[in-house]
């Protein structure tokens, strides 16, 4: 939960969630100083996730919950940006040997085992059988790959690396659903 010293900002949403204004709560200077003044949560998440680990801001913590992106810097300034109403962000760190426990992804501090590795990824809706995601993806320098999924689903996620495969059930239905999946072991 962010501090009480925050003030509301309203900016036009430019993500895939539509053209309705997005309500941003927090310190505008924090967003400006990190180059995010005109960005929505979707854009900030994608930009931070794609940065090489060595270039990620050391003075910023950026965490993704099921409903928002929360930013905090070393000075204690905070900002919270809502995720698109129809999209859910899941960051996945498939692993073979080592992992860590995590529930809500930190874009600036979480690290996975399989850095910059090409995987085959499939996401299939559990109730309809619809394939939501399928193809080859490369994990980012931090060992994670990010998936923007529809809200309100349960699905089966399968990742394959060479002869190793793993499957996990995922959900985008509740406010406490994981945004950081680190338990998908490839065997």
């Amino acid at each position: 939960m962010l501090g009480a010293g925050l003030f509301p900002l309203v900016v036009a949403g430019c993500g895939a969630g539509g053209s309705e204004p997005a309500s941003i709560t927090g310190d505008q200077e924090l967003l400006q100083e990190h180059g995010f003044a005109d960005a929505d949560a979707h854009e900030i998440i994608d930009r931070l996730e794609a940065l090489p680990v060595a270039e990620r801001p050391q003075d910023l913590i950026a965490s993704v919950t099921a409903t928002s992106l929360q930013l905090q810097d070393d000075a204690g300034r905070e900002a919270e940006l809502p995720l698109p109403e129809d999209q859910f962000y899941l960051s996945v760190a498939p692993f073979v040997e080592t992992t860590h426990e995590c529930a809500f992804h930190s874009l600036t501090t979480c690290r996975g085992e399989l850095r910059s590795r090409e995987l085959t990824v499939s996401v299939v809706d559990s109730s309809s059988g619809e394939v939501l995601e399928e193809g080859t993806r490369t994990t980012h320098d931090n060992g994670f790959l990010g998936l923007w999924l529809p809200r309100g689903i349960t699905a089966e996620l399968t990742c394959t690396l060479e002869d190793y495969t793993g499957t996990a059930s995922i959900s985008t239905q509740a406010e406490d659903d994981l945004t950081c999946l680190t338990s998908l072991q490839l065997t």
Side-chain angles (χ1 to χ4, degrees), residues 11-22:
V11 299
C14 58
S19 60
E20 292 295 316

Side-chain angles (χ1 to χ4, degrees), residues 21-167:
S23 176
I24 298 173
T25 305
D27 192 309
Q28 187 175 15
E29 282 185 22
L30 168 68
L31 298 172
Q32 289 173 344
E33 285 180 19
H34 288 281
F36 303 139
D38 296 325
D40 64 8
H42 192 292
E43 185 179 356
I44 295 169
I45 289 168
D46 287 350
R47 284 170 46 189
L48 285 173
E49 199 80 278
L51 280 176
V53 169
E55 295 177 24
R56 294 188 185 205
Q58 299 295 309
D59 62 341
L60 181 71
I61 298 294
S63 298
V64 183
T65 71
T67 59
S68 68
L69 170 63
Q70 299 176 355
L71 304 168
Q72 182 175 8
D73 68 6
D74 286 351
R77 297 179 301 183
E78 300 174 334
E80 183 173 17
L81 294 83
L83 295 185
E85 288 184 20
D86 61 345
Q87 292 183 316
F88 184 97
Y89 186 74
L90 177 65
S91 197
V92 182
F95 73 99
V96 175
E97 294 181 15
T98 59
T99 190
H100 67 281
E101 285 192 36
C102 191
F104 299 111
H105 185 55
S106 171
L107 295 157
T108 51
T109 61
C110 278
R111 302 289 181 267
E113 173 187 351
L114 303 175
R115 297 174 58 184
S116 304
R117 299 295 298 268
E118 190 173 281
L119 305 167
T120 302
V121 178
S122 169
V123 179
V124 179
D125 187 297
S126 297
S127 54
S128 71
E130 177 185 358
V131 176
L132 303 171
E133 177 90 24
E134 186 172 57
T136 302
R137 301 279 304 268
T138 301
T139 57
H140 296 290
D141 187 43
N142 66 350
F144 282 81
L145 61 94
L147 300 170
W148 284 100
L149 300 168
R151 284 195 184 276
I153 62 156
T154 57
E156 290 297 312
L157 167 64
T158 303
C159 292
T160 303
L161 170 70
E162 299 163 358
D163 294 332
Y164 299 97
T165 297
T167 300

Side-chain angles (χ1 to χ4, degrees), residues 158-179:
T158 303
C159 292
T160 303
L161 170 70
E162 299 163 358
D163 294 332
Y164 299 97
T165 297
T167 300
S169 294
I170 59 173
S171 174
T172 67
Q173 297 180 331
E175 287 190 18
D176 62 350
D177 280 336
L178 300 177
T179 63

